[in-house]
Amino acid sequence: VPRYRLTLAYDGTDFLGWQAQAAGRTVQGDLEAALARLAGGDRVSVDGAGRTDTGVHALGQVAAFDLPRAWDPATLQRALNALLGRDLRVLDAALAVEGFHPRRDAVGKLYRYQADLGPVQLPQRRRLAAHLPGALDAGRVREAAALFLGEHDFASLASSGSSVKTTRRTITRSEVHLDERLLTYEVEASGFLRKMVRSLVGGLLAAGRADLTPADLEAALLACDRCRWPPPAPACGLTLVRVDY
Amino acid sequence: VPRYRLTLAYDGTDFLGWQAQAAGRTVQGDLEAALARLAGGDRVSVDGAGRTDTGVHALGQVAAFDLPRAWDPATLQRALNALLGRDLRVLDAALAVEGFHPRRDAVGKLYRYQADLGPVQLPQRRRLAAHLPGALDAGRVREAAALFLGEHDFASLASSGSSVKTTRRTITRSEVHLDERLLTYEVEASGFLRKMVRSLVGGLLAAGRADLTPADLEAALLACDRCRWPPPAPACGLTLVRVDY
């Protein structure tokens, strides 16, 4: 059977995340419902590159699925966009090689986090950025971001109850941009733990607000103890920008 | 009676523009309803710097009104933001001089227009940018934007039925930025005719798509004939960025 690969963008505000659930709107659920209509009622199971949480957005999520009959990819893209809401768009559709799996085959991911630091949240930013009012010390935020670069055991930032083999990850980009009361943080790695990006941002905020010095933050990272790490930043500021293969 | 001045930001998507109407949600209507509650039921009449059309956004709209009793401006700002929807925010509140009128006293305005040029509209841009798919010739768009600079009779771009004394206006900034399938146009003048910015953008698009050469566009401007000018761009891409006094 032919296998397809989609590149997806979504505004996650009105989704309960990626993963299909018994009740409530999800990205996987909406895609599977649309594909079932195109497949004449057959169930189509969709795999995603990242199981984004409730409220998380994407500019380059990747999904894959088998279809019972062959479709021209451009026609498939148009048909899906006609069935999906305007907050979920198929940016690209292509034939995939047999056995392609968007999560297992991924070699890297880029996430972006945005926070509106102004005293009043701009309506223009209310869907895609978290509102975290208060000035940040730009130097300390940059110093903290630089700490994350390279290979570390990120056990301090791992969600409890997750059963990954190792909590070691290698961060290849960790960049902060502060401008017009907007914090933008971009972080790239071959893989991330659950809630890891939001926890990294929690660390940046703690350093920028001087709750912790960058040295405290480094000690908290090395301690591999979740209790010593600041709380994760809200989901609504996070975007999965790109998945690399 | 004390007079107040507000700086407002709004996502215009869910408003029928600025001006209060018998039915339907408007920015002026929401503000006047919130102020009536704060004034104990008395009607409060709000003046605005620009009567933005349905779907037009603002980052720096200016409004003014009298209140029957004095309020601390910071308290007034907080009270209004507690009553208004999240798509309309008071960014600043201040006491105004007696007789201050946000439209008549304005000496300049800056507008920004954004258009998503990609084949599929990014969900992230669907509220604040118009979707106008198709590549534009960057050189021609810039050439057209440069034509608008300076003092001209913009009768070709004026709405029919408007009764302004003169259709001469002076444009002091006319800048195009094309990047990642996003057109951003910023235009500044001491004053604008109704729908003038959207008509200017209509001209840029016609030049960029090669429907008209920049020379044709210049001839259409000089002709002072509305029928020769391309149609205005959709309202949903327009933002009133700043009003100067």
Side-chain angles (χ1 to χ4, degrees), chain A residues 77-99:
Chain A
Q77 179 189 9
R78 275 195 301 274
L80 283 170
N81 280 334
L83 291 170
L84 297 167
R86 281 183 69 210
D87 53 355
L88 170 55
R89 295 283 90 183
V90 179
L91 300 185
D92 186 61
L95 269 168
V97 294
E98 209 188 302

Side-chain angles (χ1 to χ4, degrees), chain A residues 193-209:
Chain A
L193 302 165
R194 264 206 76 147
K195 290 207 187 162
M196 180 169 155
V197 181
R198 291 167 53 194
S199 290
L200 291 171
V201 176
L204 296 182
L205 294 168
R209 289 168 179 158

Side-chain angles (χ1 to χ4, degrees), chain A residues 20-100:
Chain A
Q21 298 184 4
R25 191 173 171 231
T26 68
V27 178
Q28 190 186 34
D30 275 18
L31 276 175
E32 291 185 346
L35 285 164
R37 286 184 63 179
L38 299 183
D42 284 1
R43 168 158 166 70
V44 177
S45 173
V46 176
D47 298 313
R51 297 194 196 97
T52 52
D53 291 331
T54 296
V56 173
H57 320 285
L59 284 166
Q61 170 76 285
V62 175
F65 50 85
D66 297 328
L67 282 182
R69 72 171 181 90
W71 280 73
D72 165 60
T75 308
L76 178 63
Q77 179 189 9
R78 275 195 301 274
L80 283 170
N81 280 334
L83 291 170
L84 297 167
R86 281 183 69 210
D87 53 355
L88 170 55
R89 295 283 90 183
V90 179
L91 300 185
D92 186 61
L95 269 168
V97 294
E98 209 188 302
F100 169 72

Side-chain angles (χ1 to χ4, degrees), chain B:
Chain B
V1 294
R3 189 156 177 83
Y4 295 88
R5 167 182 167 162
L6 304 179
T7 306
L8 303 168
Y10 43 90
D11 171 345
T13 308
D14 300 325
F15 288 99
L16 295 174
W18 166 266
Q19 200 153 15
Q21 298 183 4
R25 193 173 170 230
T26 68
V27 178
Q28 189 188 34
D30 275 18
L31 276 174
E32 290 186 346
L35 286 165
R37 287 184 62 178
L38 299 182
D42 284 0
R43 170 159 164 70
V44 177
S45 173
V46 176
D47 297 314
R51 298 194 194 100
T52 53
D53 290 331
T54 296
V56 173
H57 319 287
L59 284 166
Q61 170 75 284
V62 175
F65 49 86
D66 297 328
L67 282 182
R69 73 172 181 88
W71 279 73
D72 166 61
T75 307
L76 178 64
Q77 179 189 11
R78 276 196 301 275
L80 283 171
N81 279 334
L83 292 171
L84 296 168
R86 282 183 69 212
D87 54 353
L88 170 57
R89 296 283 91 184
V90 179
L91 300 184
D92 186 61
L95 271 168
V97 294
E98 210 187 302
F100 168 70
H101 193 287
R103 183 167 41 79
R104 285 196 298 266
D105 295 350
V107 297
K109 276 184 198 152
L110 171 64
Y111 281 96
R112 182 182 298 146
Y113 194 93
Q114 293 201 298
D116 185 342
L117 308 173
V120 177
Q121 186 173 38
L122 283 183
Q124 283 80 355
R125 292 181 182 157
R126 76 189 190 288
R127 295 178 75 93
L128 302 170
H131 185 217
L132 300 168
L136 298 177
D137 181 315
R140 278 166 173 258
V141 176
R142 287 205 179 84
E143 218 180 309
L147 282 178
F148 305 153
L149 276 172
E151 188 183 343
H152 301 281
D153 185 338
F154 287 100
S156 296
L157 290 82
S159 258
S160 60
S162 76
S163 58
V164 286
K165 273 184 230 161
T166 167
T167 47
R168 292 195 81 82
R169 293 291 184 273
T170 302
I171 293 185
T172 50
R173 185 191 335 193
S174 178
E175 283 175 10
V176 169
H177 191 73
L178 271 162
D179 185 29
E180 291 184 44
R181 297 178 167 181
L182 183 71
L183 165 79
T184 303
Y185 175 60
E186 292 199 336
V187 60
E188 197 162 11
S190 53
F192 291 91
L193 301 166
R194 262 207 80 146
K195 291 208 185 159
M196 180 169 154
V197 181
R198 291 167 54 195
S199 291
L200 290 171
V201 175
L204 295 181
L205 294 168
R209 290 168 179 158
D211 298 341
L212 289 178
T213 64
D216 293 336
L217 203 64
E218 188 169 20
L221 177 63
L222 294 173
C224 292
D225 174 2
R226 289 180 57 248
C227 301
R228 290 187 55 182
W229 195 261
C236 58
L238 185 61
T239 297
L240 171 56
V241 176
R242 206 182 63 218
V243 184
D244 295 317
Y245 294 94

